[in-house]
Amino acid sequence: MSPSMSEPLPQRLRQQLAARLAKPRRLFVTPGGSEFEAWCRGAPGTAVELIVSARALHELVCEPGLPLADLDAVQAYAQQQFAHYFGAAAQRFAIAPWQVGDAAGASALHGLDLAALRAQADAARVHLAAIRPAWAAWLASLPAATRAGSGRAVWHEGDVAVVIQLDRGRVIGLQSRRVNTLADLGAEAPLAIGTPDADFAPQPGPATPRPDFLPRDHRSPLAWPLAVTGVLVLATAAWSAVDSHRALDMAQAARDRVAQLRTTAAKPQARRQVAAPAENRSAAEARALLGMPWEPLLTRVETAGADAKTIAWLGLDASAGRGELRLEGLTPDKLLALQLAEQLGTTPGWGQVVLSRFSAAETGLIGQRFEITARVKTGGGS
């Protein structure tokens, strides 16, 4: 049995929930992925965005004018091109397409095993938030004025350089080159030079390519995290109740042994009477959570957030016993958060919907953090 499977199930569930809700940290990985292996050993219950070295990638920019309607079309075209240049080996490549306006391209992952990375993350209860090429993550971290310019931006790793050709912010060229020094790239001064010790925190500004090697999910980007959060809240609550039962059973047995050594059972009896309400409360909360109408509740949140378009959800907490719900998210505009609260307030079964907190987002997050609290009707009433 693996060490992770030998841990108590409630602990594993809590770590999985913590990983889903954690703010992703960024980790630079080289071919082979030893850095991620070390991360998984030391950080269960965390979330991570992998920044992939140029040494593990092949790059492609599509010719202008090709009839590539969406990312699926870009990926299919890229697979054909990589197969043409690299033969049978290209069948093992994971492909991450990107499309910004009329520009499109793709990265191919050849120095890391995507399936192995995902399995490693699952086993360690680490949430893989994204797997992105280093050049793309770095480009998104540049100031808006730099990203909007024309010229070359250079991602540099020792004897490898990725030259990104920009035309008024559009990526029109992308080439990996072997170099001894940056002077090998020519006399033209680059707009910016990036290295593996870059910050990678995304900055506001013109859209940039965002290739991601994780499989794309065609469902709403809001529905998936909310649904998973809801399920994990239920699972954690249920197993917390199981933990409570077990702890109470052990405490009861200890009290009984003490009672046998004492001349009176009055005090142990009093403690047993106090323990019963705590057990009942945990079990009642778990049953109430399981009985909540999660599907319509999360669907309404998803719909309202989709209408707002720029809302990004961070988390959901629920107390079924009190019929309370708390939502956390990011928005570039306080007015959008207010409008969202008003929309939810008009939903049948929702009441006392309040924008309870609004503050600047933490470093690495873009926008303003907000919190909405509400009272909702559960299966047993409001």
Side-chain angles (χ1 to χ4, degrees), residues 55 77 109 128 132 159 164 185 222 232 237 247 305 317 340 360 362 366-367 373 379:
R55 301 174 187 275
Y77 175 77
L109 186 67
L128 268 178
R132 301 189 188 281
D159 61 351
I164 309 163
L185 299 176
L222 299 174
L232 289 174
D317 287 327
L340 177 61
E362 297 89 338
I366 299 174
T373 57

Short mmCIF file of all heavy atoms in Angstrom, two decimals, residues 55 77 109 128 132 159 164 185 222 232 237 247 305 317 340 360 362 366-367 373 379:
data_model
loop_
_atom_site.label_atom_id
_atom_site.label_comp_id
_atom_site.label_asym_id
_atom_site.label_seq_id
_atom_site.Cartn_x
_atom_site.Cartn_y
_atom_site.Cartn_z
N ARG A 55 13.64 23.69 -23.20
CA ARG A 55 14.36 22.47 -23.59
C ARG A 55 13.43 21.26 -23.74
O ARG A 55 13.83 20.24 -24.31
CB ARG A 55 15.43 22.15 -22.55
CG ARG A 55 16.46 23.26 -22.35
CD ARG A 55 17.40 22.93 -21.20
NE ARG A 55 18.27 24.05 -20.88
CZ ARG A 55 19.42 24.29 -21.50
NH1 ARG A 55 19.83 23.47 -22.46
NH2 ARG A 55 20.16 25.32 -21.15
N TYR A 77 -4.17 20.73 -36.87
CA TYR A 77 -3.16 21.19 -37.84
C TYR A 77 -1.75 21.02 -37.27
O TYR A 77 -0.84 20.54 -37.95
CB TYR A 77 -3.42 22.65 -38.20
CG TYR A 77 -2.36 23.25 -39.10
CD1 TYR A 77 -2.33 22.96 -40.47
CD2 TYR A 77 -1.38 24.09 -38.57
CE1 TYR A 77 -1.35 23.51 -41.29
CE2 TYR A 77 -0.39 24.63 -39.39
CZ TYR A 77 -0.38 24.34 -40.74
OH TYR A 77 0.59 24.87 -41.55
N LEU A 109 5.00 19.10 -26.25
CA LEU A 109 5.74 18.68 -25.06
C LEU A 109 6.42 17.35 -25.36
O LEU A 109 5.76 16.33 -25.52
CB LEU A 109 4.77 18.55 -23.89
CG LEU A 109 5.35 18.24 -22.51
CD1 LEU A 109 6.18 19.41 -22.01
CD2 LEU A 109 4.23 17.94 -21.53
N LEU A 128 -2.92 20.22 -10.15
CA LEU A 128 -2.24 20.79 -11.30
C LEU A 128 -3.19 21.82 -11.93
O LEU A 128 -4.16 21.46 -12.58
CB LEU A 128 -1.90 19.70 -12.33
CG LEU A 128 -0.53 19.05 -12.23
CD1 LEU A 128 -0.40 17.96 -13.29
CD2 LEU A 128 0.56 20.09 -12.41
N ARG A 132 2.23 25.23 -18.59
CA ARG A 132 2.41 26.21 -19.66
C ARG A 132 3.88 26.31 -20.08
O ARG A 132 4.79 26.17 -19.25
CB ARG A 132 1.95 27.60 -19.20
CG ARG A 132 0.50 27.65 -18.78
CD ARG A 132 0.05 29.09 -18.56
NE ARG A 132 -1.27 29.17 -17.98
CZ ARG A 132 -2.39 29.02 -18.67
NH1 ARG A 132 -2.33 28.77 -19.97
NH2 ARG A 132 -3.57 29.09 -18.09
N ASP A 159 22.06 27.80 -23.40
CA ASP A 159 22.36 27.72 -24.83
C ASP A 159 21.11 27.60 -25.69
O ASP A 159 21.18 27.27 -26.87
CB ASP A 159 23.29 26.53 -25.11
CG ASP A 159 22.68 25.20 -24.71
OD1 ASP A 159 21.60 25.21 -24.07
OD2 ASP A 159 23.26 24.14 -25.03
N ILE A 164 10.60 35.50 -29.80
CA ILE A 164 9.18 35.80 -30.01
C ILE A 164 9.09 37.09 -30.80
O ILE A 164 9.47 38.16 -30.32
CB ILE A 164 8.45 35.96 -28.66
CG1 ILE A 164 8.74 34.76 -27.74
CG2 ILE A 164 6.95 36.13 -28.88
CD1 ILE A 164 8.41 35.02 -26.29
N LEU A 185 22.03 36.21 -31.73
CA LEU A 185 20.70 36.52 -32.27
C LEU A 185 20.70 37.77 -33.16
O LEU A 185 19.67 38.11 -33.75
CB LEU A 185 19.71 36.71 -31.13
CG LEU A 185 19.50 35.49 -30.22
CD1 LEU A 185 18.56 35.85 -29.07
CD2 LEU A 185 18.95 34.31 -31.01
N LEU A 222 -16.83 27.93 -15.08
CA LEU A 222 -17.34 28.19 -13.74
C LEU A 222 -17.96 26.95 -13.12
O LEU A 222 -17.86 26.73 -11.93
CB LEU A 222 -18.40 29.30 -13.80
CG LEU A 222 -17.91 30.65 -14.32
CD1 LEU A 222 -19.10 31.60 -14.44
CD2 LEU A 222 -16.87 31.24 -13.39
N LEU A 232 -16.72 18.26 -2.70
CA LEU A 232 -15.71 18.08 -1.66
C LEU A 232 -16.18 18.62 -0.32
O LEU A 232 -15.83 18.09 0.74
CB LEU A 232 -14.41 18.76 -2.08
CG LEU A 232 -13.66 18.05 -3.22
CD1 LEU A 232 -12.46 18.86 -3.66
CD2 LEU A 232 -13.22 16.66 -2.80
N ALA A 237 -17.51 17.15 4.97
CA ALA A 237 -18.44 17.22 6.10
C ALA A 237 -18.86 15.83 6.56
O ALA A 237 -18.93 15.55 7.75
CB ALA A 237 -19.66 18.04 5.69
N ALA A 247 -14.06 9.52 17.35
CA ALA A 247 -13.44 10.19 18.48
C ALA A 247 -14.31 10.06 19.73
O ALA A 247 -13.81 9.83 20.84
CB ALA A 247 -13.18 11.66 18.16
N GLY A 305 -22.62 34.22 -12.91
CA GLY A 305 -21.21 34.54 -13.16
C GLY A 305 -20.89 34.60 -14.64
O GLY A 305 -20.10 35.43 -15.09
N ASP A 317 -18.28 28.23 0.35
CA ASP A 317 -18.49 27.61 1.65
C ASP A 317 -19.98 27.55 1.92
O ASP A 317 -20.72 28.47 1.53
CB ASP A 317 -17.81 28.40 2.77
CG ASP A 317 -16.30 28.24 2.75
OD1 ASP A 317 -15.84 27.15 2.39
OD2 ASP A 317 -15.60 29.21 3.09
N LEU A 340 -23.84 41.33 -9.71
CA LEU A 340 -23.96 39.88 -9.49
C LEU A 340 -24.76 39.60 -8.23
O LEU A 340 -25.65 38.73 -8.21
CB LEU A 340 -22.57 39.26 -9.39
CG LEU A 340 -22.50 37.76 -9.08
CD1 LEU A 340 -23.18 36.97 -10.18
CD2 LEU A 340 -21.05 37.32 -8.92
N ALA A 360 -8.48 44.63 -2.40
CA ALA A 360 -7.47 44.37 -3.42
C ALA A 360 -7.05 42.91 -3.38
O ALA A 360 -6.92 42.31 -2.31
CB ALA A 360 -6.26 45.28 -3.21
N GLU A 362 -4.66 39.55 -3.71
CA GLU A 362 -3.30 39.26 -3.27
C GLU A 362 -2.34 39.31 -4.45
O GLU A 362 -2.73 39.25 -5.60
CB GLU A 362 -3.22 37.87 -2.62
CG GLU A 362 -4.05 37.73 -1.36
CD GLU A 362 -5.46 37.27 -1.67
OE1 GLU A 362 -5.89 37.47 -2.82
OE2 GLU A 362 -6.12 36.74 -0.76
N ILE A 366 -5.14 38.92 -10.35
CA ILE A 366 -5.48 40.14 -11.07
C ILE A 366 -6.92 40.52 -10.75
O ILE A 366 -7.83 39.70 -10.89
CB ILE A 366 -5.30 39.96 -12.59
CG1 ILE A 366 -3.83 39.63 -12.89
CG2 ILE A 366 -5.72 41.21 -13.34
CD1 ILE A 366 -3.57 39.31 -14.35
N GLY A 367 -7.15 41.76 -10.32
CA GLY A 367 -8.50 42.23 -10.07
C GLY A 367 -8.73 42.52 -8.59
O GLY A 367 -7.80 42.69 -7.81
N THR A 373 -22.35 36.93 0.58
CA THR A 373 -23.01 36.00 1.50
C THR A 373 -24.51 36.01 1.21
O THR A 373 -25.06 37.01 0.74
CB THR A 373 -22.77 36.41 2.96
OG1 THR A 373 -23.23 37.75 3.16
CG2 THR A 373 -21.29 36.34 3.30
N GLY A 379 -33.17 21.71 1.54
CA GLY A 379 -34.24 20.73 1.33
C GLY A 379 -35.30 20.80 2.40
O GLY A 379 -36.45 20.44 2.20
#
